[in-house]
Amino acid sequence: MIDIRGFIQKYKKLFSALGMVLAVVLIFWAVNSPAIVGASATERLLPIYNVQREDKVVAMSFDAGWGNEDTQTLIDIMNKYNINTTFFLVGDWVDKYPESVKALSDAGNEVMNHSSTHAHFSKLTEDQIVADLNKCNDKIEAITGVRPTLVRCPYGEYDDHVVKAINRIGMKAIQWNIDSLDWKGIPADEIQRRVLKNIEPGSIILFHNAAEHTPEALPGIIESLQSQGYKIVPVSEILLQGDYTIDHRGTMLPK
């Protein structure tokens, strides 16, 4: 007669170990399953940080929300090198400096949305975000005749509900993959190093219109990029046309 109790006691540890191994295998499969990973990745909504491009093209962008002392200087620099860029404007800034908004647009630069009052979007509802964006869009369109299609979130802050609100009105959220940190007041040569060391096709570069050393840094950056064969364009011209996806790094990819 088989001693069942003895058999169970004898092999109890073995069964326990096998169970743990099986559990680990199942967890590993679940975490790494393409279907599950894909679902997780698609659930998180991201802005566009950069674009997968084969050609050597990059976009320059400037955020404007406070001072205005350097705006015309920036326009003159762009004109000198025959390039256009994108300026993301806060609605309150548009109210204060409508002549600069028009000058930016007349010079061929893109004028896009940087919110109405530079509020923290994560603290607003979707409807409040939409109202804020439309208010800024209305102000810009009244001056330039062109309604913005791109938005840069204030403080670079976003979450799923922020991006969802932006997408809801047919706009695209734009971040950056190269931060000049010009707003910190760092020297021009340091701004140049920060930008140029990480440049790659499809990069979106962040500057500010009222940063202390940006006008001094720009000529060297532009000349270096052009000598490397890069074309500098506004953000909308770097974006892919047709169907696309955004990967976990925020890179815009052809679908």
Side-chain angles (χ1 to χ4, degrees), residues 125-141:
T125 66
E126 281 189 34
D127 287 344
Q128 288 173 327
I129 294 169
V130 168
D132 181 284
L133 293 174
N134 279 327
K135 186 176 181 180
C136 185
N137 283 344
D138 290 343
K139 292 178 179 182
I140 291 173
E141 185 177 20

Side-chain angles (χ1 to χ4, degrees), residues 69-183:
E69 55 272 19
D70 292 330
T71 304
Q72 187 57 51
T73 301
L74 297 177
I75 292 173
D76 293 341
I77 292 172
M78 303 308 160
N79 288 342
K80 176 182 177 181
Y81 291 98
N82 195 30
I83 62 174
N84 294 123
T85 60
T86 301
F87 285 77
F88 290 94
L89 309 184
V90 174
D92 288 347
W93 193 90
V94 175
D95 290 337
K96 290 180 182 179
Y97 310 110
E99 71 288 345
S100 291
V101 178
K102 189 174 188 307
L104 286 167
S105 179
D106 288 349
N109 299 290
E110 284 187 337
V111 179
M112 295 296 177
N113 194 318
H114 193 31
S115 83
S116 185
T117 63
H118 212 267
H120 290 275
F121 275 4
S122 60
K123 297 180 179 179
L124 304 180
T125 66
E126 281 189 34
D127 287 344
Q128 288 173 327
I129 294 169
V130 168
D132 181 284
L133 293 174
N134 279 327
K135 186 176 181 180
C136 185
N137 283 344
D138 290 343
K139 292 178 179 182
I140 291 173
E141 185 177 20
I143 296 172
T144 67
V146 180
R147 194 165 187 83
T149 56
L150 308 177
V151 57
R152 175 161 287 154
C153 296
Y155 310 101
E157 296 175 353
Y158 64 89
D159 57 23
D160 281 4
H161 98 284
V162 172
V163 179
K164 184 179 178 182
I166 294 168
N167 293 342
R168 185 171 125 192
I169 55 174
M171 299 185 77
K172 289 183 174 66
I174 304 296
Q175 291 285 96
W176 58 87
N177 70 314
I178 296 182
D179 189 348
S180 68
L181 290 183
D182 58 350
W183 60 273

Side-chain angles (χ1 to χ4, degrees), residues 145-243:
V146 180
R147 194 165 187 83
T149 56
L150 308 177
V151 57
R152 175 161 287 154
C153 296
Y155 310 101
E157 296 175 353
Y158 64 89
D159 57 23
D160 281 4
H161 98 284
V162 172
V163 179
K164 184 179 178 182
I166 294 168
N167 293 342
R168 185 171 125 192
I169 55 174
M171 299 185 77
K172 289 183 174 66
I174 304 296
Q175 291 285 96
W176 58 87
N177 70 314
I178 296 182
D179 189 348
S180 68
L181 290 183
D182 58 350
W183 60 273
K184 286 190 171 184
I186 61 178
D189 58 349
E190 188 174 342
I191 294 173
Q192 291 179 14
R193 282 196 300 271
R194 284 192 58 82
V195 171
L196 296 174
K197 73 177 182 179
N198 294 317
I199 204 74
E200 61 181 356
S203 287
I204 298 174
I205 311 167
L206 170 64
F207 297 102
H208 295 80
N209 78 305
E212 183 179 2
H213 299 295
T214 300
E216 181 186 352
L218 281 176
I221 292 171
I222 294 169
E223 290 172 11
S224 179
L225 289 174
Q226 290 180 336
S227 70
Q228 295 177 55
Y230 279 101
K231 181 180 180 182
I232 301 168
V233 300
V235 173
S236 68
E237 293 185 22
I238 208 172
L239 302 181
L240 301 176
Q241 302 300 313
D243 291 339

Side-chain angles (χ1 to χ4, degrees), residues 15-46:
F15 291 152
S16 177
L18 288 173
M20 289 182 65
V21 171
L22 180 59
V24 170
V25 170
L26 288 173
I27 291 171
F28 180 83
W29 174 85
V31 170
N32 290 277
S33 168
I36 294 174
V37 170
S40 175
T42 56
E43 285 172 7
R44 187 182 180 205
L45 299 177
L46 293 174

